[in-house]
Amino acid sequence: MLNIKKAITGILAAAVVVSQCAAPGATAFAAEAEDHCYYDSVGDCYYYTVNDDGESATITGYDGEGGDVSIPEDIDGMNVTSIGNAAFEKCYNLTSVKIPDGVTSIGENAFDRCEDLTSVIIPNGVTSIENETFRFCTSLKEITIPEDVVSIGSFAFSYCQSLKSITIPDGVKSIGDNAFEECAIKSIILPDGLTSILAETFMDCADLISVTIPKSVTSIGEWAFSGCVSLTDVYFTGSELEWDAITFGWMNDVTRATIHYNSTGPEIGNSTSGSTGEFTSSGATYQVTSTANNTVKFVSYSGTASKATIPATVTYGGTKYKVTAIAANAFSGNKNITSVTIGKNVKKIGNKAFKGCKKLKTVKINSTKLTSVGKNAFKGISSSAKIKVPSDYKKAYKKLLTASGYTGKVKTL
């Protein structure tokens, strides 16, 4: 049966270019004539082309049953490094996608109109989210953008009407027009270094309550926050004078909100707006990343103890938050810690999180949800260090750690 399927696919690919993804209930893509088809273990076909180096491949299309999809990291002996333009466009049956660590490029419209897609894991190494990449992914609820991303394209997440939570890393320097139009985001922190908020970037985000804008911003385009009918608070990291120097385009509802100057966010314990902000507990600083999902990021540690713990949860202001990430440089250069225990809800460890912790000899990772370890996260820790991980995840976590630059021992708990 599989051979018949391969034969039919080959005939179609050689004869004509036809997209079947457009039909609801079908999850298929007929590739260009020169594309190849690779079948995974469940019989799904990934169309691909060989890159110019002759040693890597770009995924150009998909013909399969959909559901939870893990894109292969290598195809016919070649590493997959790119997802091509419109590769999964209109694949309505996709519900989740895991993109392999070797991928550094995701093309325009790659997942456009994947209406059942609820989650995506994007690896470190990807440096940009292109135009319309996740447009009309109406079931997508949350997404974490990797630390290496520096730009988000136009309409990248527009009309993601279920998207309530998104974390934008500090390295992002440009966000395209209409990037988050008509999303369900309740609050967002824009990264330092961003200089412009372009036209219609957050237009019709009717649930948006608060936004933190860095003082590096010098212009806010027309209609950028038009239709943000719930927007009540803007936290501006600069002074009132710097705010007044910003160039505002036409119809900017952001000016109707209360502007909080020299502020990175509300005092969480006193906030009733559901906005994001920072708080301190047991010598650690946390930043709320989603009020919809009650999640926080472990930002920094000011304690002097030799043993540190990133807890599974932390309670503040009567709310229990899951700790799902460790920020870049969270422990960088710490001279005291010798052991660290990482809680069961952590999904992401940021760049240089433990860099230069020369006394750090033991790291226990209790999480079974880890999907990302940033560059040089453990660079410069003790040469005799051991990182202990759950036994069922040793292979996967060792790969993540190696990709981050870690060369030491990985043991099981």
Side-chain angles (χ1 to χ4, degrees):
M1 186 68 182
L2 188 58
N3 289 333
I4 294 173
K5 183 179 179 183
K6 289 182 178 180
I8 292 172
T9 301
I11 292 169
L12 289 174
V16 64
V17 177
V18 180
S19 174
Q20 298 175 5
C21 270
T27 303
F29 180 88
E32 300 287 348
E34 65 272 18
D35 290 1
H36 309 279
C37 179
Y38 169 83
Y39 286 90
D40 66 9
S41 59
V42 298
D44 288 355
C45 167
Y46 294 86
Y47 292 100
Y48 70 95
T49 56
V50 180
N51 296 333
D52 291 341
D53 61 9
E55 298 178 351
S56 61
T58 294
I59 300 291
T60 58
Y62 171 75
D63 182 353
E65 296 300 320
D68 299 331
V69 169
S70 293
I71 298 172
E73 60 183 322
D74 58 76
I75 285 179
D76 295 335
M78 294 176 289
N79 293 328
V80 174
T81 59
S82 303
I83 310 297
N85 293 345
F88 292 85
E89 183 179 15
K90 297 180 182 177
C91 290
Y92 294 109
N93 285 354
L94 289 182
T95 55
S96 71
V97 174
K98 182 177 181 181
I99 301 171
D101 289 337
V103 169
T104 58
S105 172
I106 302 174
E108 296 184 358
N109 303 92
F111 298 94
D112 190 4
R113 298 177 191 270
C114 293
E115 295 179 354
D116 285 345
L117 186 64
T118 60
S119 66
V120 180
I121 296 175
I122 304 173
N124 279 329
V126 173
T127 58
S128 65
I129 308 295
E130 300 294 342
N131 297 341
E132 303 176 1
T133 300
F134 296 100
R135 185 180 61 163
F136 282 110
C137 291
T138 53
S139 298
L140 188 64
K141 294 180 180 179
E142 62 177 318
I143 193 165
T144 298
I145 298 174
E147 296 282 349
D148 293 341
V149 169
V150 296
S151 64
I152 298 172
S154 299
F155 293 91
F157 296 94
S158 59
Y159 314 112
C160 291
Q161 295 167 346
S162 299
L163 184 61
K164 295 181 179 181
S165 174
I166 188 163
T167 302
I168 302 177
D170 291 338
V172 171
K173 303 302 180 187
S174 67
I175 299 175
D177 56 272
N178 303 82
F180 299 99
E181 180 180 355
E182 208 170 307
C183 290
I185 299 168
K186 290 187 176 182
S187 59
I188 195 161
I189 299 174
L190 298 177
D192 291 337
L194 187 71
T195 58
S196 298
I197 301 173
L198 299 184
E200 303 178 7
T201 299
F202 296 98
M203 188 169 74
D204 291 332
C205 290
D207 294 332
L208 185 65
I209 296 170
S210 77
V211 59
T212 299
I213 298 176
K215 63 182 180 180
S216 53
V217 168
T218 58
S219 66
I220 299 178
E222 60 185 19
W223 304 88
F225 292 90
S226 177
C228 296
V229 294
S230 301
L231 184 61
T232 56
D233 293 282
V234 173
Y235 298 92
F236 182 61
T237 63
S239 65
E240 183 175 2
L241 187 63
E242 289 170 305
W243 175 262
D244 290 339
I246 293 175
T247 301
F248 291 92
W250 191 50
M251 290 297 291
N252 243 304
D253 291 356
V254 70
T255 58
R256 299 178 184 178
T258 300
I259 313 299
H260 305 269
Y261 304 109
N262 298 306
S263 175
T264 58
E267 293 295 330
I268 294 296
N270 299 323
S271 174
T272 58
S273 67
S275 304
T276 58
E278 292 187 352
F279 63 86
T280 300
S281 176
S282 300
T285 299
Y286 299 87
Q287 182 183 78
V288 177
T289 53
S290 172
T291 52
N293 298 309
N294 288 342
T295 59
V296 295
K297 173 169 60 176
F298 188 105
V299 176
S300 62
Y301 179 68
S302 59
T304 58
S306 61
K307 296 181 179 180
T309 297
I310 291 89
T313 61
V314 60
T315 299
Y316 192 84
T319 300
K320 180 185 283 188
Y321 297 93
K322 290 183 178 180
V323 182
T324 58
I326 302 171
N329 300 298
F331 288 86
S332 182
N334 188 292
K335 298 178 180 179
N336 298 316
I337 58 169
T338 60
S339 70
V340 170
T341 300
I342 296 175
K344 66 179 182 180
N345 291 317
V346 170
K347 299 178 181 180
K348 179 180 179 181
I349 300 173
N351 294 345
K352 304 178 184 177
F354 298 93
K355 183 181 178 182
C357 297
K358 296 179 180 180
K359 294 183 179 180
L360 182 57
K361 293 183 177 182
T362 303
V363 179
K364 295 180 181 180
I365 300 177
N366 291 325
S367 174
T368 58
K369 303 175 183 179
L370 191 64
T371 59
S372 174
V373 179
K375 288 183 178 178
N376 299 320
F378 295 97
K379 184 177 181 180
I381 66 174
S382 172
S383 59
S384 61
K386 297 177 183 178
I387 297 180
K388 298 181 178 181
V389 302
S391 57
D392 291 344
Y393 294 83
K394 182 179 178 181
K395 182 178 179 181
Y397 285 7
K398 186 174 182 179
K399 184 176 179 180
L400 286 176
L401 291 163
T402 300
S404 76
Y406 177 71
T407 58
K409 296 178 181 179
V410 179
K411 302 289 185 178
T412 56
L413 292 170

